[in-house]
Amino acid sequence: MPDMRTKMAHLIKKTRERWFSGLMFVGMLCLSVVTLSQARAASIEPFVGSYHGTTIEHAENELQARDLDVVIKETERGFIVDWSTVIHKPDGREKTVSLDVEFYATERADIYGSAMRSGLFGKRIPNDPLKGEPFFWARIVDKTLTIHALYINDEGGYEMQVYKRTLDDDGNLDLIFRRFRDGEQIRDVTGKLTRQPDRY
C-alpha cells in the first residue's frame, strides 16, 4: 500500500507540473501574440505618402510662414523620409532646406535607427555626431511618427531637433517641430500637411 500511495502522489505531482507548464506555454503564446500586434500597430504603413502644407514659426512673437513638402516611403527594412522646407525671410528672400533619411527597424520595439552614409565596405551606417554630422533616430507610437536629430557643436555643446508628425482622422499630418540648444528650446514650429496624390 505505501508503494501504491507513493506512486499515486508522484503521478499527481507530475500531472500538476505538466498542467502548469501547459498553462505557462499558453500564457507566453498569448504574450507573443500581443507583442506582435503591438509591433504591427507601430508600422510605418499608415504614414506612407506625399504631403504638402504651410507651417508657422513661433519666435519672439513673430509668425513666419514656411512651405513644406514631405514624402514617406516604405522600404524592405524600414522607411525613408524625404522633406523639403522653403523658409520665407522678412526681407523677401527664400531659403530652401532639403534632407532625406533612411530608417531601419531595430531590436527595440517602435524605435528605428538611421543610415545616411556608406561605410568602408559599402554598407549604409549612421552618421557620427562627434564629427559634426547629425545623428538621427525615429520612433512610432500610435499615430505619431517622431524623428530626433542630434548635433554636437565645436564647443562640445549639443543641439536637438524634434519632428513630430501625427496622423489625423483624414490621413493628413499635424506637425510640431522644436529645436533645443543645450536643453533650452530656441524654436517652435507648427503646421498642417495635407496628403497628396502619390508621386512615386
Side-chain angles (χ1 to χ4, degrees), residues 125-142:
I125 59 176
N127 281 343
D128 185 350
L130 292 178
K131 295 181 179 180
E133 302 167 343
F135 178 80
F136 287 85
W137 72 95
R139 182 174 181 231
I140 301 177
V141 177
D142 297 326

Side-chain angles (χ1 to χ4, degrees), residues 70-90:
V70 176
V71 178
I72 301 175
K73 305 177 184 179
E74 189 170 13
T75 64
E76 290 185 359
R77 65 173 185 166
F79 57 95
I80 295 174
V81 179
D82 185 344
W83 66 93
S84 176
T85 305
V86 178
I87 304 172
H88 301 279
K89 300 288 187 178

Side-chain angles (χ1 to χ4, degrees), residues 76-140:
E76 290 185 359
R77 65 173 185 166
F79 57 95
I80 295 174
V81 179
D82 185 344
W83 66 93
S84 176
T85 305
V86 178
I87 304 172
H88 301 279
K89 300 288 187 178
D91 59 6
R93 292 181 299 120
E94 294 182 349
K95 177 183 178 182
T96 301
V97 179
S98 299
L99 189 65
D100 67 279
V101 184
E102 177 188 357
F103 295 95
Y104 59 89
T106 68
E107 295 180 356
R108 302 177 67 181
D110 308 336
I111 299 178
Y112 292 79
S114 66
M116 296 186 64
R117 60 190 180 93
S118 297
L120 181 62
F121 300 102
K123 183 179 179 181
R124 298 282 288 177
I125 59 176
N127 281 343
D128 185 350
L130 292 178
K131 295 181 179 180
E133 302 167 343
F135 178 80
F136 287 85
W137 72 95
R139 182 174 181 231
I140 301 177

